[in-house]
């Protein structure tokens, strides 16, 4: 069974930074793409950023130039560095990965951007 543990969320002022982490554990032989999604109150869950096993990245237009996704395959961990945060970035952030042909979700971590 695969488990994802997220950390790094919290309250930050506009213009501030946060770094989210998501570590995978369990019976994983190989991890494919790793992604971060977010869901704000009353809105659908949306893709924020993704990274393939080879390191290719993709970002939502709303976060390009401000967020950076990265991964450490040895640690089975994906990161999301978030800079120049805005109130519109407030949401629950979820990590998602594909392993063994199946998708797995983290439990979510709250990010609140407010003065």
């Amino acid at each position: 069974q695969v488990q994802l543990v997220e950390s790094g969320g919290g309250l930050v002022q506009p213009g501030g930074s946060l770094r989210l982490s998501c570590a995978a554990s369990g019976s994983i032989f190989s991890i494919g793409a790793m992604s971060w999604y977010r869901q704000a109150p009353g809105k659908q869950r949306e893709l924020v950023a993704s990274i393939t096993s080879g390191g290719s990245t993709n970002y939502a237009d709303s976060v390009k130039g401000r967020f950076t996704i990265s991964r450490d395959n040895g640690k089975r961990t994906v990161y999301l560095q978030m800079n120049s945060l805005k109130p519109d970035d407030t949401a629950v952030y979820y990590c998602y990965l594909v392993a063994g042909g199946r998708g797995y979700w983290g439990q979510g971590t709250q990010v609140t951007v407010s003065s």
Side-chain angles (χ1 to χ4, degrees), residues 2-78:
V2 176
Q3 291 185 328
L4 304 181
V5 178
E6 300 163 0
S7 60
L11 172 65
V12 64
Q13 292 186 342
S17 298
L18 283 174
R19 188 191 194 208
L20 305 182
S21 300
C22 174
S25 62
S27 300
I28 306 174
F29 295 102
S30 65
I31 299 176
M34 305 177 84
S35 307
W36 287 96
Y37 287 75
R38 67 186 181 187
Q39 188 166 19
K43 295 186 177 180
Q44 290 188 332
R45 191 171 299 188
E46 64 174 356
L47 177 66
V48 176
S50 63
I51 184 167
T52 67
S53 57
S56 297
T57 58
N58 181 55
Y59 296 92
D61 288 342
S62 59
V63 306
K64 281 181 181 177
R66 300 188 297 122
F67 291 10
T68 302
I69 190 171
S70 60
R71 63 191 285 170
D72 184 328
N73 292 327
K75 294 182 178 180
R76 299 177 176 179
T77 300
V78 62

